[in-house]
Amino acid sequence: MLKKTKHFLRAHGVDYEKEHVNPLIVPEKVYVLKFGKKGEKLNNRFIVDHTYTWTGRIRINKIILRLHGQHHPREFNSETDLLLYLKKHAKSFAKANA
């Protein structure tokens, strides 16, 4: 999941860590991808709410990008929307790691 996003992060030298969370109350599954600058805490995260279709395929309901200290996170409907946003702001990733 989020294969293209992981490639983007690796290409820009950003560390990340992934984990699955299964909430007890809601039927959606949650996938969390924490990321941050090299050598620092992984304060930023992508939160992916997804379900499985009856054929077993993963359906992404929404992707939430929550940056460190952000009060109103950005929501995306698909990974392509997320990648367009990340490519627009790629300079901030390059500056942070240079």
Side-chain angles (χ1 to χ4, degrees):
M1 186 176 317
L2 297 181
K3 186 176 185 180
K4 294 176 186 175
T5 305
K6 291 177 192 172
H7 287 296
F8 179 85
L9 293 175
R10 269 189 241 129
H12 287 83
V14 179
D15 290 338
Y16 67 89
E17 170 184 304
K18 57 188 176 181
E19 65 184 63
H20 289 278
V21 179
N22 293 328
L24 297 174
I25 298 172
V26 294
E28 290 93 15
K29 307 287 187 221
V30 178
Y31 177 78
V32 179
L33 183 72
K34 297 178 183 178
F35 67 99
K37 297 178 188 176
K38 284 195 175 202
E40 292 185 14
K41 286 186 177 179
L42 304 177
N43 292 331
N44 309 312
R45 64 184 53 98
F46 298 114
I47 303 168
V48 181
D49 292 335
H50 67 281
T51 56
Y52 292 97
T53 62
W54 65 274
T55 59
R57 297 189 72 175
I58 294 175
R59 180 189 311 142
I60 295 176
N61 298 331
K62 65 181 172 180
I63 301 172
I64 301 169
L65 172 62
R66 183 175 290 272
L67 301 174
H68 176 68
Q70 187 177 29
H71 295 290
H72 302 288
R74 292 175 176 84
E75 291 188 10
F76 303 97
N77 292 327
S78 66
E79 187 178 11
T80 55
D81 296 339
L82 173 65
L83 283 172
L84 288 174
Y85 175 81
L86 290 177
K87 287 178 184 177
K88 269 188 198 176
H89 296 87
K91 290 180 183 177
S92 64
F93 287 109
K95 285 181 190 173
N97 294 316

